[in-house]
């Protein structure tokens, strides 16, 4: 079992920045990839960014150059640095951790980009 807790969401103006954090606990030594998804009202959940245990990263096209994903060596945290935020980035952001064939999810943190 892996428990995930996100933090760092909030209200930010367009063009601003936020840093999301996700703390992992439990059987973290078995974690492979980690990442972030988001879900806007009325839309399906979509992948934002992911990072493998070899630190290979993958980003959604619309966030490339603006968002940066990272994780610590202990597998206990994953981060998402978001810059040049746009109103269309508004969503609930969820972190996940993949362990073998099972994914674990956090409860989500709201990010609102509005003037």
């Amino acid at each position: 079992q892996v428990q995930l807790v996100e933090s760092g969401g909030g209200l930010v103006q367009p063009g601003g920045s936020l840093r999301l954090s996700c703390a992992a606990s439990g059987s973290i030594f078995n974690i492979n990839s980690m990442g972030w998804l988001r879900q806007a009202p009325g839309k399906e959940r979509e992948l934002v960014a992911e990072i493998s245990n070899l630190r290979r990263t993958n980003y959604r096209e619309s966030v490339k150059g603006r968002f940066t994903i990272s994780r610590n060596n202990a597998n206990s945290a994953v981060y998402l640095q978001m810059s040049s935020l746009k109103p269309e980035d508004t969503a609930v952001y969820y972190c996940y951790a993949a362990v073998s064939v099972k994914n674990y999810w956090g409860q989500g943190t709201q990010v609102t980009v509005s003037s």
Side-chain angles (χ1 to χ4, degrees), residues 5 8 19-20 23 27-28 38 41 47 52 59-60 64 74 80 82 86 91 96-97 99 108 111-112:
V5 179
R19 179 179 169 87
L20 304 183
S27 300
I28 60 175
R38 68 186 180 189
L47 178 68
S52 73
Y59 294 92
R60 182 173 195 80
K64 285 182 179 179
L80 187 67
M82 305 185 294
K86 304 175 181 180
Y96 79 87
V99 178
V111 172
T112 302

PDB file of all heavy atoms in Angstrom, residues 5 8 19-20 23 27-28 38 41 47 52 59-60 64 74 80 82 86 91 96-97 99 108 111-112:
ATOM      1  N   VAL A   5      -0.287  12.246  -0.498  1.00  0.00           N
ATOM      2  CA  VAL A   5      -0.940  13.467  -0.049  1.00  0.00           C
ATOM      3  C   VAL A   5      -0.369  14.651  -0.830  1.00  0.00           C
ATOM      4  O   VAL A   5       0.833  14.925  -0.748  1.00  0.00           O
ATOM      5  CB  VAL A   5      -0.748  13.694   1.457  1.00  0.00           C
ATOM      6  CG1 VAL A   5      -1.423  15.006   1.883  1.00  0.00           C
ATOM      7  CG2 VAL A   5      -1.303  12.529   2.258  1.00  0.00           C
ATOM      8  N   GLY A   8      -0.016  22.373  -2.076  1.00  0.00           N
ATOM      9  CA  GLY A   8       0.550  23.442  -2.892  1.00  0.00           C
ATOM     10  C   GLY A   8      -0.401  24.085  -3.869  1.00  0.00           C
ATOM     11  O   GLY A   8      -0.032  25.035  -4.559  1.00  0.00           O
ATOM     12  N   ARG A  19       3.964  25.581  -7.135  1.00  0.00           N
ATOM     13  CA  ARG A  19       4.710  24.333  -7.001  1.00  0.00           C
ATOM     14  C   ARG A  19       3.848  23.350  -6.224  1.00  0.00           C
ATOM     15  O   ARG A  19       3.524  23.607  -5.055  1.00  0.00           O
ATOM     16  CB  ARG A  19       6.036  24.567  -6.293  1.00  0.00           C
ATOM     17  CG  ARG A  19       6.871  23.312  -6.077  1.00  0.00           C
ATOM     18  CD  ARG A  19       8.173  23.683  -5.393  1.00  0.00           C
ATOM     19  NE  ARG A  19       8.943  22.551  -4.901  1.00  0.00           N
ATOM     20  CZ  ARG A  19       9.816  21.859  -5.602  1.00  0.00           C
ATOM     21  NH1 ARG A  19      10.033  22.172  -6.867  1.00  0.00           N
ATOM     22  NH2 ARG A  19      10.483  20.859  -5.055  1.00  0.00           N
ATOM     23  N   LEU A  20       3.500  22.259  -6.865  1.00  0.00           N
ATOM     24  CA  LEU A  20       2.741  21.208  -6.210  1.00  0.00           C
ATOM     25  C   LEU A  20       3.698  20.170  -5.642  1.00  0.00           C
ATOM     26  O   LEU A  20       4.717  19.839  -6.261  1.00  0.00           O
ATOM     27  CB  LEU A  20       1.782  20.531  -7.182  1.00  0.00           C
ATOM     28  CG  LEU A  20       0.782  21.433  -7.905  1.00  0.00           C
ATOM     29  CD1 LEU A  20      -0.145  20.588  -8.771  1.00  0.00           C
ATOM     30  CD2 LEU A  20      -0.014  22.272  -6.938  1.00  0.00           C
ATOM     31  N   ALA A  23       3.535  13.947  -1.131  1.00  0.00           N
ATOM     32  CA  ALA A  23       4.298  13.133  -0.189  1.00  0.00           C
ATOM     33  C   ALA A  23       3.785  11.707  -0.225  1.00  0.00           C
ATOM     34  O   ALA A  23       2.578  11.474  -0.081  1.00  0.00           O
ATOM     35  CB  ALA A  23       4.177  13.714   1.204  1.00  0.00           C
ATOM     36  N   SER A  27       4.659   1.557   1.258  1.00  0.00           N
ATOM     37  CA  SER A  27       5.602   0.702   0.526  1.00  0.00           C
ATOM     38  C   SER A  27       6.247   1.455  -0.636  1.00  0.00           C
ATOM     39  O   SER A  27       6.138   1.066  -1.807  1.00  0.00           O
ATOM     40  CB  SER A  27       4.883  -0.543   0.016  1.00  0.00           C
ATOM     41  OG  SER A  27       4.333  -1.284   1.083  1.00  0.00           O
ATOM     42  N   ILE A  28       6.945   2.533  -0.319  1.00  0.00           N
ATOM     43  CA  ILE A  28       7.481   3.405  -1.359  1.00  0.00           C
ATOM     44  C   ILE A  28       8.662   2.788  -2.102  1.00  0.00           C
ATOM     45  O   ILE A  28       8.990   3.207  -3.211  1.00  0.00           O
ATOM     46  CB  ILE A  28       7.870   4.780  -0.790  1.00  0.00           C
ATOM     47  CG1 ILE A  28       8.924   4.639   0.300  1.00  0.00           C
ATOM     48  CG2 ILE A  28       6.636   5.501  -0.270  1.00  0.00           C
ATOM     49  CD1 ILE A  28       9.443   5.966   0.819  1.00  0.00           C
ATOM     50  N   ARG A  38      -4.661  15.698 -14.078  1.00  0.00           N
ATOM     51  CA  ARG A  38      -5.586  16.753 -13.675  1.00  0.00           C
ATOM     52  C   ARG A  38      -6.955  16.501 -14.273  1.00  0.00           C
ATOM     53  O   ARG A  38      -7.093  15.830 -15.294  1.00  0.00           O
ATOM     54  CB  ARG A  38      -5.058  18.130 -14.102  1.00  0.00           C
ATOM     55  CG  ARG A  38      -5.029  18.352 -15.609  1.00  0.00           C
ATOM     56  CD  ARG A  38      -4.345  19.679 -15.934  1.00  0.00           C
ATOM     57  NE  ARG A  38      -4.301  19.930 -17.370  1.00  0.00           N
ATOM     58  CZ  ARG A  38      -3.619  20.913 -17.934  1.00  0.00           C
ATOM     59  NH1 ARG A  38      -2.908  21.761 -17.177  1.00  0.00           N
ATOM     60  NH2 ARG A  38      -3.648  21.076 -19.247  1.00  0.00           N
ATOM     61  N   PRO A  41     -13.542  20.645 -14.498  1.00  0.00           N
ATOM     62  CA  PRO A  41     -14.990  20.378 -14.446  1.00  0.00           C
ATOM     63  C   PRO A  41     -15.542  19.987 -15.807  1.00  0.00           C
ATOM     64  O   PRO A  41     -15.291  20.654 -16.812  1.00  0.00           O
ATOM     65  CB  PRO A  41     -15.565  21.713 -13.975  1.00  0.00           C
ATOM     66  CG  PRO A  41     -14.464  22.360 -13.219  1.00  0.00           C
ATOM     67  CD  PRO A  41     -13.204  21.959 -13.924  1.00  0.00           C
ATOM     68  N   LEU A  47      -3.409  13.094 -18.303  1.00  0.00           N
ATOM     69  CA  LEU A  47      -2.030  13.074 -17.816  1.00  0.00           C
ATOM     70  C   LEU A  47      -1.383  14.427 -18.050  1.00  0.00           C
ATOM     71  O   LEU A  47      -1.469  14.984 -19.135  1.00  0.00           O
ATOM     72  CB  LEU A  47      -1.241  11.985 -18.534  1.00  0.00           C
ATOM     73  CG  LEU A  47       0.226  11.875 -18.157  1.00  0.00           C
ATOM     74  CD1 LEU A  47       0.376  11.383 -16.724  1.00  0.00           C
ATOM     75  CD2 LEU A  47       0.965  10.953 -19.122  1.00  0.00           C
ATOM     76  N   SER A  52       9.780   8.459 -14.614  1.00  0.00           N
ATOM     77  CA  SER A  52      10.060   7.061 -14.317  1.00  0.00           C
ATOM     78  C   SER A  52      11.079   6.955 -13.189  1.00  0.00           C
ATOM     79  O   SER A  52      11.668   7.950 -12.744  1.00  0.00           O
ATOM     80  CB  SER A  52      10.596   6.361 -15.557  1.00  0.00           C
ATOM     81  OG  SER A  52      11.936   6.771 -15.817  1.00  0.00           O
ATOM     82  N   TYR A  59       5.704  14.751 -20.798  1.00  0.00           N
ATOM     83  CA  TYR A  59       4.792  15.846 -20.525  1.00  0.00           C
ATOM     84  C   TYR A  59       3.675  15.906 -21.549  1.00  0.00           C
ATOM     85  O   TYR A  59       3.858  15.596 -22.736  1.00  0.00           O
ATOM     86  CB  TYR A  59       5.531  17.193 -20.571  1.00  0.00           C
ATOM     87  CG  TYR A  59       6.559  17.378 -19.492  1.00  0.00           C
ATOM     88  CD1 TYR A  59       7.890  17.021 -19.712  1.00  0.00           C
ATOM     89  CD2 TYR A  59       6.214  17.913 -18.260  1.00  0.00           C
ATOM     90  CE1 TYR A  59       8.849  17.200 -18.721  1.00  0.00           C
ATOM     91  CE2 TYR A  59       7.165  18.098 -17.266  1.00  0.00           C
ATOM     92  CZ  TYR A  59       8.478  17.731 -17.509  1.00  0.00           C
ATOM     93  OH  TYR A  59       9.420  17.918 -16.520  1.00  0.00           O
ATOM     94  N   ARG A  60       2.537  16.367 -21.078  1.00  0.00           N
ATOM     95  CA  ARG A  60       1.466  16.689 -21.994  1.00  0.00           C
ATOM     96  C   ARG A  60       1.939  17.852 -22.870  1.00  0.00           C
ATOM     97  O   ARG A  60       2.626  18.769 -22.406  1.00  0.00           O
ATOM     98  CB  ARG A  60       0.240  17.112 -21.181  1.00  0.00           C
ATOM     99  CG  ARG A  60      -0.965  17.420 -22.008  1.00  0.00           C
ATOM    100  CD  ARG A  60      -2.191  17.670 -21.149  1.00  0.00           C
ATOM    101  NE  ARG A  60      -3.386  17.607 -21.974  1.00  0.00           N
ATOM    102  CZ  ARG A  60      -3.943  16.485 -22.344  1.00  0.00           C
ATOM    103  NH1 ARG A  60      -3.458  15.343 -21.924  1.00  0.00           N
ATOM    104  NH2 ARG A  60      -5.018  16.489 -23.111  1.00  0.00           N
ATOM    105  N   LYS A  64       4.391  21.538 -21.975  1.00  0.00           N
ATOM    106  CA  LYS A  64       5.836  21.485 -22.250  1.00  0.00           C
ATOM    107  C   LYS A  64       6.429  22.889 -22.239  1.00  0.00           C
ATOM    108  O   LYS A  64       5.874  23.810 -22.817  1.00  0.00           O
ATOM    109  CB  LYS A  64       6.092  20.818 -23.598  1.00  0.00           C
ATOM    110  CG  LYS A  64       5.903  19.313 -23.590  1.00  0.00           C
ATOM    111  CD  LYS A  64       6.218  18.714 -24.958  1.00  0.00           C
ATOM    112  CE  LYS A  64       6.037  17.208 -24.932  1.00  0.00           C
ATOM    113  NZ  LYS A  64       6.313  16.604 -26.266  1.00  0.00           N
ATOM    114  N   ALA A  74      14.484   9.124  -2.658  1.00  0.00           N
ATOM    115  CA  ALA A  74      13.894   8.178  -1.706  1.00  0.00           C
ATOM    116  C   ALA A  74      12.501   7.708  -2.132  1.00  0.00           C
ATOM    117  O   ALA A  74      11.873   6.923  -1.414  1.00  0.00           O
ATOM    118  CB  ALA A  74      13.814   8.827  -0.325  1.00  0.00           C
ATOM    119  N   LEU A  80       5.683  19.141  -8.906  1.00  0.00           N
ATOM    120  CA  LEU A  80       5.337  19.712 -10.198  1.00  0.00           C
ATOM    121  C   LEU A  80       5.483  21.225 -10.093  1.00  0.00           C
ATOM    122  O   LEU A  80       4.685  21.885  -9.424  1.00  0.00           O
ATOM    123  CB  LEU A  80       3.915  19.349 -10.611  1.00  0.00           C
ATOM    124  CG  LEU A  80       3.527  19.757 -12.033  1.00  0.00           C
ATOM    125  CD1 LEU A  80       4.326  18.952 -13.055  1.00  0.00           C
ATOM    126  CD2 LEU A  80       2.027  19.553 -12.269  1.00  0.00           C
ATOM    127  N   MET A  82       5.016  24.604 -11.783  1.00  0.00           N
ATOM    128  CA  MET A  82       4.180  25.123 -12.862  1.00  0.00           C
ATOM    129  C   MET A  82       4.435  26.619 -13.009  1.00  0.00           C
ATOM    130  O   MET A  82       4.334  27.375 -12.037  1.00  0.00           O
ATOM    131  CB  MET A  82       2.707  24.872 -12.549  1.00  0.00           C
ATOM    132  CG  MET A  82       2.388  23.411 -12.272  1.00  0.00           C
ATOM    133  SD  MET A  82       0.620  23.102 -12.057  1.00  0.00           S
ATOM    134  CE  MET A  82       0.325  24.005 -10.540  1.00  0.00           C
ATOM    135  N   LYS A  86      -1.982  29.304 -17.176  1.00  0.00           N
ATOM    136  CA  LYS A  86      -3.067  29.810 -17.998  1.00  0.00           C
ATOM    137  C   LYS A  86      -4.405  29.413 -17.371  1.00  0.00           C
ATOM    138  O   LYS A  86      -4.480  28.419 -16.653  1.00  0.00           O
ATOM    139  CB  LYS A  86      -2.968  29.220 -19.405  1.00  0.00           C
ATOM    140  CG  LYS A  86      -1.638  29.464 -20.098  1.00  0.00           C
ATOM    141  CD  LYS A  86      -1.589  28.746 -21.437  1.00  0.00           C
ATOM    142  CE  LYS A  86      -0.252  28.967 -22.133  1.00  0.00           C
ATOM    143  NZ  LYS A  86      -0.194  28.268 -23.441  1.00  0.00           N
ATOM    144  N   ALA A  91      -7.815  23.162 -12.673  1.00  0.00           N
ATOM    145  CA  ALA A  91      -8.260  21.781 -12.518  1.00  0.00           C
ATOM    146  C   ALA A  91      -7.912  21.302 -11.115  1.00  0.00           C
ATOM    147  O   ALA A  91      -7.180  21.984 -10.383  1.00  0.00           O
ATOM    148  CB  ALA A  91      -7.594  20.880 -13.550  1.00  0.00           C
ATOM    149  N   TYR A  96       0.057  10.455  -8.656  1.00  0.00           N
ATOM    150  CA  TYR A  96      -0.091   9.005  -8.633  1.00  0.00           C
ATOM    151  C   TYR A  96       1.279   8.354  -8.493  1.00  0.00           C
ATOM    152  O   TYR A  96       2.307   8.940  -8.809  1.00  0.00           O
ATOM    153  CB  TYR A  96      -0.803   8.506  -9.894  1.00  0.00           C
ATOM    154  CG  TYR A  96       0.081   8.409 -11.114  1.00  0.00           C
ATOM    155  CD1 TYR A  96       0.816   7.249 -11.371  1.00  0.00           C
ATOM    156  CD2 TYR A  96       0.189   9.477 -11.994  1.00  0.00           C
ATOM    157  CE1 TYR A  96       1.639   7.165 -12.474  1.00  0.00           C
ATOM    158  CE2 TYR A  96       1.003   9.395 -13.103  1.00  0.00           C
ATOM    159  CZ  TYR A  96       1.726   8.241 -13.344  1.00  0.00           C
ATOM    160  OH  TYR A  96       2.556   8.173 -14.440  1.00  0.00           O
ATOM    161  N   ALA A  97       1.245   7.118  -8.044  1.00  0.00           N
ATOM    162  CA  ALA A  97       2.452   6.309  -7.956  1.00  0.00           C
ATOM    163  C   ALA A  97       2.104   4.929  -8.481  1.00  0.00           C
ATOM    164  O   ALA A  97       1.091   4.348  -8.075  1.00  0.00           O
ATOM    165  CB  ALA A  97       2.949   6.228  -6.514  1.00  0.00           C
ATOM    166  N   VAL A  99       2.932   1.036  -8.787  1.00  0.00           N
ATOM    167  CA  VAL A  99       3.626  -0.062  -8.121  1.00  0.00           C
ATOM    168  C   VAL A  99       3.208  -1.337  -8.837  1.00  0.00           C
ATOM    169  O   VAL A  99       2.059  -1.746  -8.721  1.00  0.00           O
ATOM    170  CB  VAL A  99       3.262  -0.138  -6.632  1.00  0.00           C
ATOM    171  CG1 VAL A  99       3.965  -1.319  -5.981  1.00  0.00           C
ATOM    172  CG2 VAL A  99       3.612   1.162  -5.933  1.00  0.00           C
ATOM    173  N   GLY A 108      -6.099  14.838  -4.343  1.00  0.00           N
ATOM    174  CA  GLY A 108      -6.156  15.962  -5.265  1.00  0.00           C
ATOM    175  C   GLY A 108      -5.999  17.305  -4.577  1.00  0.00           C
ATOM    176  O   GLY A 108      -6.307  17.448  -3.392  1.00  0.00           O
ATOM    177  N   VAL A 111      -6.180  23.708  -8.307  1.00  0.00           N
ATOM    178  CA  VAL A 111      -5.413  24.808  -8.879  1.00  0.00           C
ATOM    179  C   VAL A 111      -6.375  25.660  -9.699  1.00  0.00           C
ATOM    180  O   VAL A 111      -7.045  25.152 -10.603  1.00  0.00           O
ATOM    181  CB  VAL A 111      -4.266  24.295  -9.774  1.00  0.00           C
ATOM    182  CG1 VAL A 111      -3.610  25.466 -10.517  1.00  0.00           C
ATOM    183  CG2 VAL A 111      -3.231  23.561  -8.940  1.00  0.00           C
ATOM    184  N   THR A 112      -6.451  26.934  -9.357  1.00  0.00           N
ATOM    185  CA  THR A 112      -7.330  27.852 -10.070  1.00  0.00           C
ATOM    186  C   THR A 112      -6.502  29.002 -10.610  1.00  0.00           C
ATOM    187  O   THR A 112      -5.804  29.687  -9.845  1.00  0.00           O
ATOM    188  CB  THR A 112      -8.435  28.388  -9.157  1.00  0.00           C
ATOM    189  OG1 THR A 112      -9.197  27.295  -8.626  1.00  0.00           O
ATOM    190  CG2 THR A 112      -9.369  29.321  -9.926  1.00  0.00           C
TER     191      THR A 112
END
